[in-house]
Amino acid sequence: MWARLRGGYPLRILLPLRGEWMGRRGLPRNLAPGPLRRRYGKETLQALEMPVLPVTATEIRQYLRGHGIPFQDGHSCLRTPSPFAESSQLKDQTGVTTSFSLFIDKTTGRFLCMTSLAEGSWEDFQASVEGRRDGAKEGLLLSKAPEFEDSEEVRRIWNRAVPLWELPDQEEVQLADTMFGLTKVTDDTLKRFSVRYLRPARSLVFPWFSPGGSGLRGLKLLEAKCQGDGVSYEETTIPRPSAYHNLFGLPLITRRDAEVVLTSRELDSLALNQSTGLPTLTLPRGTTCLPPSLLPYLEQFRRIVFWLGDDLRSWEAAKLFARKLNPKRCFLVRPGDQQPHPLEALNRGFNLSRILRTALPAWHKSIVSFRQLREEVLGELSNVEQVAGLRWSRFPDLNRILKGHRKGELTVFTGPTGSGKTTFISEYALDLCSQGVNTLWGSFEISNVRLARVMLTQFAEGRLEDQLDKYDHWADRFEDLPLYFMTFHGQQSIRTVIDTMQHAVYVYDICHVVIDNLQFMMGHEQLSTDRIAAQDYIVGVFRKFATDNNCHVTLVIHPRKEDDDKELQTASIFGSAKASQEADNVLILQDRKLVTGPGKRYLQVSKNRFDGDVGVFPLEFNKNSLTFSIPPKNKARLKKIKDDTGSVAKKPSSGKKGATPQNSEICSGQVPTPKQPDTSKRSK
């Protein structure tokens, strides 16, 4: 049976210049898309599944030649004639025959028929070719697939929404234009992209049409709210984010188009198309993920320009996505004060065509000079705080020392047996995942169900055993996190684990991998009978993976046996010095006396390659929420640790939503000027 590409692509959008963009939220009761609850089951865990035998592009080509199937080699896919399309479907709207209409992903082997919309795995394709399965009858045709559960709500909301220019109240039109920054976007542009306005929810409605315009498959609603003197934006996708695969603007693409601009927001696509006349597409999950199922729709373009945002995270996402689409045809617009979001650039009177001409190529040779690196060095100097990485919201003391969580680094984490390493590292990773960091967990010690239970308790900040009526609420929110689990348990081969991680980076754009723990991969290595040599090899493989894929790897390693009266040191990590030498950060969970009473835990940062700062800070375990960041109730809190000057270190802002001077300008209808990051205050 053909199977649709599954997998969560949770929606997490960065904070743009004009307001706050968040995940799915509720609509007014009369417009709510119905309950989104999913009853608990083992299958609801987003377990990362690998093909039985990973396939390579060479193997796909050999198989096609061996069965006499002609194919064309594309940028990220192979094109072949489709056995699932009828003869009447092999002509497009202009009458041109499109015989090579089946696209096979070179990396995963998954295929998509652009005419019948049938898709499946490489094993499904082989079964159909070899006659083991009647793919034409058993294949899932998405155009004829059963309607999803919210289809009625989609039609009802779409019918109630009206074009913005048809609103009878001009004051309401002006208010909407000001709130969404559409003062310079014309009605013709809104009409061309079929954008509507939902008055009860004060939301713009962006449609998701099936390829060829055969029907309405979903919606994205963008709601603007005035909170005090500021404006916040909330996005709602129907169906839920894991099933929302809309390239906004795709119905306007023709076969003759050879260049396209990819954006992270629908409003940016409107501004770009109006100003430059170029085809534009919006990625369904912004800078979070580029689902491989969308790659066939981008095969026809010889030049792809990424203009995703105005911060460093958008720049990193653009470089990651370019690797999927063949970097040789991709160009990136560098974020900066004079190159903000396209909509902001339009409102500020910038020449968008000129900015696109300055886009830098994503591909360069293996050897470069400083001339090629000059702009990237300037970007890092101009965005010092963003270069430091994403800051933890639950561990401000960790921000004080490490400054942030950065891609491409290797963190080694150790601690005594029974000290709570897995519990701490799960909250450590959950903090980042809640902020949109796509996370892959490899738990070889405990089962995924047990790990998910611990993380759900930490996410809800309280035990759910005594309040099962709230389980669905927290489970729905937890399910939307970009969190995935390897299905391994016990000893595994390092080659199998690395293959799975590579697959996850490609399919889910994983940015953080947690391996708990390294010792479970040493039993399968036959390189040497020396366990120290085997561990050194494994550490080197993880180091190379982190660097090559620009993905942060957190590696849990047990310490060697130490006396109970001695604190752990960097040299206490099991094995040779290879692990601490290769690591960018070394974290040690100590279970010793600090400030008050015996048995208190604290976290020691013994290595920090980013800026050299090291130090310790206390931790107190909350048994009710299984967290180290929430102090237990009815207990005396640990004394605050003072800095060198004697002043108490203040807790940094947690990034709560609220009014800012920038948002005040939005509510007043003014276009704000982006702030340069303040680099005058640096952590000592």
Side-chain angles (χ1 to χ4, degrees), residues 222-285:
L222 178 64
E223 181 181 4
K225 293 182 178 179
C226 242
Q227 297 179 347
D229 295 331
V231 174
S232 64
Y233 299 101
E234 295 182 356
E235 286 185 348
T236 303
T237 61
I238 310 174
R240 62 187 307 131
S242 60
Y244 187 78
H245 296 273
N246 178 27
L247 279 173
F248 178 72
L250 187 62
L252 301 179
I253 301 296
T254 65
R255 291 177 54 85
R256 298 180 180 179
D257 293 326
E259 180 179 359
V260 69
V261 183
L262 300 183
T263 68
S264 61
R265 307 187 311 177
E266 288 78 6
L267 296 178
D268 290 335
S269 288
L270 300 178
L272 268 169
N273 183 266
Q274 174 180 304
S275 179
T276 65
L278 292 174
T280 59
L281 295 173
T282 302
L283 302 180
R285 290 164 189 81

Side-chain angles (χ1 to χ4, degrees), residues 666-681:
I666 297 174
C667 272
S668 62
Q670 301 178 8
V671 178
T673 303
K675 276 188 176 182
Q676 290 290 342
D678 183 8
T679 59
S680 59
K681 298 181 180 180

